[in-house]
Amino acid sequence: MTRQIRLDQIDDVMREAVEDLVAATTLEWTARVKKATPVRVVYEGEPKGGGQLRAAWQTEIKPLEGTIINNLAYAEPVCYGINLPPSWGGQYRTRQKTVAGFPELIAKELENWMKEQFAR
């Protein structure tokens, strides 16, 4: 059954739909980028560690804006391949063969996902 709304309610209904879509998209992007974020492999005998970059993603959702950030000093080189540390010898590399710019690639993938979600 379709929802019936009066003409004077259209702006409120559309705003609610867009706010829901922004929140859902922000959470979906966060889940995907966390999954794609490389984690340092910890070998036997090494101190525990790894996963700090993945755990450092922060999500903030406002009514019409979703923000995802990672403030770790090495997030930019690992995620985007820019501002590489000298130890990398000027070459982007991760042990998991991560693609530089993967957060932006995930955002582009979400365009179709958002259209499908909005159509629902």
Side-chain angles (χ1 to χ4, degrees), residues 102-119:
F102 71 89
E104 296 296 327
L105 297 173
I106 291 169
K108 288 179 183 179
E109 289 174 3
L110 284 174
E111 288 180 22
N112 286 332
W113 183 88
M114 289 186 316
K115 291 175 187 176
E116 292 170 8
Q117 295 300 308
F118 191 72

Side-chain angles (χ1 to χ4, degrees), residues 48-87:
K48 289 188 177 182
Q52 290 89 351
L53 183 63
R54 184 177 285 176
W57 288 105
Q58 301 170 34
T59 303
E60 182 179 354
I61 300 173
K62 295 180 181 177
L64 297 174
E65 177 183 344
T67 306
I68 302 103
I69 60 170
N70 193 317
N71 287 327
L72 287 183
Y74 57 92
E76 196 172 50
V78 173
C79 296
Y80 294 97
I82 55 177
N83 296 325
L84 300 176
S87 62

Side-chain angles (χ1 to χ4, degrees), residues 5-16:
I5 56 171
R6 295 188 322 264
L7 202 54
D8 64 332
Q9 296 173 320
I10 290 175
D11 60 338
D12 292 333
V13 171
M14 290 306 296
R15 183 178 178 92
E16 180 183 331

Side-chain angles (χ1 to χ4, degrees), residues 33-51:
V33 82
K34 280 186 174 187
K35 185 176 180 179
T37 300
V39 175
R40 183 178 73 84
V41 177
V42 179
Y43 298 100
E44 190 174 328
E46 286 187 322
K48 289 188 177 182

